[in-house]
Amino acid sequence: MAHTETPTDLGALVRCEAVAPSFRQRTYAAGRNAYGDLNLIAVTTQGRARLLLDDTGHDIGTDCILVLPHGMPGKIVVEAGARVWMIGFARSLQPMVTGAGTEGLKLDRILSHLTLTPADPEATRGTVLPLLPMLEAEIVDPARRSHVAVAALLRLILIATARMLRTEDAVGHQPETAILHRFRQLVELGYRDRRGLADYCHDLNLSYDRLHDICQRLLGRTPLTLVHQRVLLDATTRLAQTDDTVSRIADQLGFDEPTQFSHFFKRATGMSPRRFRQDARQSGTRKTDTAGLSFADWP
């Protein structure tokens, strides 16, 4: 059976382009062409755009941010004279982008549902807009192209998006959200021991089907994917910030063999642990700030 490698080049995993004002209308399709395997984030800084989704339309005003999840078909029509930044990244990058903890849960939810913020000139122009040329340069410049730096910039954009949402836009599913918080607490306690999903379900007093349904509906991800996300977050941090060997990191994360860890890591990121470490070191990201990855703010 043929084996298809996950793309590792940032040009295949991330896109960031500035759509300059034009005399004509332009259309961008999610799930097609340049955005075939990517989600789609639109930041409107001048003029208006419109999202066409099935038979409905949604206006995207100036200083608004739209997020279309992976796999959601839709078209963004950029009106004449509008200035819009179009961003997309592959699902394989999402664990690195969102991180973990309560804040990571919020970012996962934004990426799992259609999200359209109200207009907020201060947040869009003061916080998000300065990040976009940095992201574009990180992707385009061959001397940079750091997965860690790109993930950090995307995370900052999503955090700003979350803060722009009104309180009423972010509420709902509160009892189920509490279950997710508890599940992720248990994952934090047990992921290094490679606990099985049956153990987590037992501690939550839930059936696997119930837990799977909650994770899928609220986050668009399976319970196993969330566990793997936490392992991957720890692995990338250790590779970027410590001199521990790959064998030692594999042991610290509960893998029986280094090769088992290497296969897990490559399936998730598209590159080997050694390649990831080399990429991080060459980009000068060894001292990447991990304060935003703390789980201390969990309830």
Side-chain angles (χ1 to χ4, degrees):
M1 180 175 64
H3 176 66
T4 303
E5 292 288 344
T6 302
T8 61
D9 177 51
L10 276 175
L13 296 174
V14 190
R15 289 190 65 86
C16 179
E17 57 182 303
V19 181
S22 172
F23 290 110
R24 61 185 180 84
Q25 183 175 276
R26 287 145 297 172
T27 301
Y28 293 80
R32 293 183 183 178
N33 302 324
Y35 293 90
D37 297 319
L38 313 180
N39 62 358
L40 192 55
I41 302 171
V43 182
T44 307
T45 59
Q46 177 181 312
R48 305 184 68 82
R50 184 168 178 79
L51 169 67
L52 303 180
L53 194 63
D54 295 327
D55 296 326
T56 61
H58 303 269
D59 288 326
I60 311 168
T62 304
D63 299 316
C64 295
I65 298 179
L66 169 79
V67 180
L68 270 181
H70 291 96
M72 179 176 286
K75 295 181 179 179
I76 296 179
V77 180
V78 179
E79 300 294 343
R83 186 186 302 274
V84 180
W85 281 84
M86 308 291 290
I87 306 142
F89 61 89
R91 189 185 293 274
S92 61
L93 283 181
Q94 188 164 330
M96 291 179 63
V97 171
T98 58
T102 303
E103 195 162 54
L105 178 62
K106 292 177 182 177
L107 302 187
D108 273 327
R109 290 201 62 191
I110 288 174
L111 291 171
S112 301
H113 298 79
L114 173 63
T115 300
L116 178 59
T117 71
D120 189 334
E122 182 178 355
T124 303
R125 298 168 190 261
T127 303
V128 176
L129 193 55
L131 299 171
L132 300 177
M134 297 170 60
L135 177 62
E136 184 180 39
E138 194 68 37
I139 299 167
V140 173
D141 187 352
R144 301 185 185 185
R145 292 190 177 175
S146 164
H147 290 68
V148 178
V150 166
L153 289 166
L154 289 169
R155 183 184 300 141
L156 289 172
I157 293 168
L158 290 173
I159 289 172
T161 302
R163 292 173 178 172
M164 290 170 67
L165 294 172
R166 295 181 298 263
T167 302
E168 58 266 28
D169 293 330
V171 299
H173 306 289
Q174 291 184 1
E176 293 181 342
T177 299
I179 292 173
L180 280 179
H181 281 302
R182 178 57 181 155
F183 174 47
R184 298 188 79 160
Q185 284 179 318
L186 293 170
V187 171
E188 171 63 11
L189 293 172
Y191 75 91
R192 292 189 188 92
D193 297 327
R194 309 290 290 164
R195 298 188 75 206
L197 290 176
D199 298 318
Y200 292 120
C201 291
H202 178 269
D203 292 344
L204 291 166
N205 195 27
L206 289 177
S207 68
Y208 171 78
D209 289 343
R210 172 68 170 149
L211 179 60
H212 184 276
D213 177 66
I214 292 172
C215 292
Q216 282 286 80
R217 281 190 294 104
L218 269 63
L219 299 178
R221 294 170 143 196
T222 67
L224 184 60
T225 299
L226 293 173
V227 175
H228 285 175
Q229 174 180 326
R230 184 61 185 99
V231 176
L232 184 65
L233 181 63
D234 197 338
T236 54
T237 301
R238 291 174 189 268
L239 288 167
Q241 298 183 14
T242 75
D243 292 318
D244 291 343
T245 64
V246 172
S247 295
R248 177 165 173 74
I249 292 174
D251 182 65
Q252 291 167 337
L253 296 179
F255 289 88
D256 294 331
E257 297 289 341
T259 53
Q260 184 186 18
F261 167 67
S262 294
H263 290 155
F264 163 81
F265 192 89
K266 188 165 187 178
R267 281 197 306 270
T269 67
M271 65 178 70
S272 69
R274 289 183 174 83
R275 167 71 186 279
F276 177 88
R277 169 172 277 168
Q278 181 182 19
D279 185 32
R281 299 289 171 84
Q282 287 178 345
S283 303
T285 55
R286 180 175 179 178
K287 296 184 181 300
T288 303
D289 180 16
T290 58
L293 307 183
S294 171
F295 278 60
D297 57 347
W298 271 0

